[in-house]
Amino acid sequence: MINQSFIRREAYLEMIGNYIDKPVIKVITGMRRSGKSAILALLREELLERKVDEERIIFLNFESQRLAALADTESLYKYVTEYAQKSPGRLYILLDEVQRITGWERTVASFRVDFDCDIYVTGSNANLLSGELHTLLAGRFVEIPVYPLSFAEHLVFTKAKGEDGGKDLNTQFIDYLRYGGLPGIHEMDINSGTVYPYLTDIFNSVILKDVIGRHHIRDTELLERIVKFLMDNMGHIFSAKSISDFLKNQGRKLSTETVYNYLDALEEAFLIRKISRYDIKGKRQLETQEKYFFEDHGVKHAIQGYRDNEISGLLENLVCMELKRRGFRVYIGQLGQREVDFIALRREEKIYIQVCYLLSDSAVIEREFAPLLEIKDQYPKLVLSMDPIWDYTKEGVRRKNLAEWLIKKIP
């Protein structure tokens, strides 16, 4: 069996490679088990290929109990200092899951000042980039977000693992729909009996360690109800007040402010992504009524089960996360009383996207194309669906097969 760490995720390695030996700290973020450690290990291999002396590379994974003695900043600083004194030359410092070290920001900032070094850190918390790090290192770090596998990466992994034998593209896409993109699922047989228990353990780890533990949440049952609401309403617009009212109907009182705090904690742990609305005509972001999607949809299915009647929201989830992988800022479009599923912005680019399962009849085609046809600017407009591969264009609005769009990475 090939270890997942040997399967290269080229897009991330290229992105990180552009910053090797550049005077910024590389901060690699992402949810638990999304592949950050494997990418850091591949970076180590890249450094060795660039003729960096192995003795000049410090690789510390703070999830290992063997590093318990380095659990405070003083011990970590002393360790690196002693390491640096062994021989002259540039150090390459790779710190995995660094958020486990309280006050790590100041120590890492000191490394940058006190040693000739190139620094890379990973963490499973979105707040890794806030607070003291911003104060100490404003303009001196770059974030490299790591996401679960895209569908294109899923195909690479299944081929490398010998899992693709006899499976056509559609069958592999169904696997991806059901089981998501966390790399670890490719270390086992791809079926619900083996994958879902693994994903359930990851979900429990995120909830217990990254949400409940970090934010000292006492009412865990209430948190679970909020997560269930998010799962039941994936792809639907709602507000924190909607959740508060829902809980009130179940006999639980929770203020809107507290709901927002719970949602922020879930988003901080990279379990969910909030997508705000954008007024297309007014060209401004709207402050209320958002959609929430899951970083990895396989985790949702592991907890709740795969439901065919949720296919529309699931496909939106896939498209949203793919746009995030490609570096777009993503919004829900508001056009009068109509909704555009996604507006994606990246530098000078803009794309409008509608997502549906099947364009089954003329009424569905009219419904999906109509909002895009109202937009009269020159930017690309797409309707993505699971219909068999055929291209169709109507007044500049193009229809594409969703699976093919995910692979080819075209507008």
Side-chain angles (χ1 to χ4, degrees), residues 239-266:
S239 65
K241 185 177 184 304
S242 303
I243 300 178
S244 181
D245 291 343
F246 167 77
L247 294 171
K248 185 177 180 181
N249 291 335
Q250 293 190 335
R252 299 298 306 270
K253 291 185 178 181
L254 192 65
S255 70
T256 299
E257 181 181 359
T258 303
V259 171
Y260 270 123
N261 290 337
Y262 277 50
L263 292 174
D264 287 345
L266 292 167

Side-chain angles (χ1 to χ4, degrees), residues 9-22 24-31 34-37 39-40 43 95-96 118-126 128-129 133 140-148 153 270 273 295 324-327:
R9 298 181 71 179
E10 298 293 351
Y12 296 110
L13 292 171
E14 180 180 349
M15 194 181 309
I16 297 171
N18 291 333
Y19 291 105
I20 290 177
D21 286 323
K22 298 297 189 295
V24 290
I25 295 174
K26 279 64 71 172
V27 183
I28 302 168
T29 60
M31 76 174 290
S34 59
K36 301 184 302 296
S37 297
I39 290 171
L40 207 60
L43 170 63
L95 307 178
D96 199 9
D118 194 20
I119 304 171
Y120 305 80
V121 303
T122 80
S124 303
N125 191 285
L128 206 67
L129 296 171
L133 184 66
R140 296 186 177 91
F141 70 88
V142 60
E143 180 187 12
I144 300 169
V146 172
Y147 298 94
E153 288 181 310
F270 297 107
R273 292 274 176 167
E295 190 90 356
K324 299 292 287 184
R325 285 187 193 93
R326 299 182 191 186

Side-chain angles (χ1 to χ4, degrees), residues 56 64 68 113-114 127 141 149 153 156 184 196-197 212 215 242 256 273 277 301 314 320 342 363 380 402 405:
R56 307 307 301 166
S64 172
V113 173
D114 297 343
N127 272 354
F141 70 88
L149 301 179
E153 288 181 310
V156 171
Y196 284 165
I212 293 173
H215 295 274
S242 303
T256 299
R273 292 274 176 167
R277 291 186 304 143
H301 298 327
L314 174 56
C320 174
F342 298 111
L402 195 152
W405 177 81

Side-chain angles (χ1 to χ4, degrees), residues 44-55:
R44 182 179 182 276
E45 293 182 9
E46 174 72 18
L47 293 172
L48 293 173
E49 290 176 5
R50 294 189 181 204
K51 307 305 180 184
V52 172
D53 189 333
E54 186 172 3
E55 296 299 318

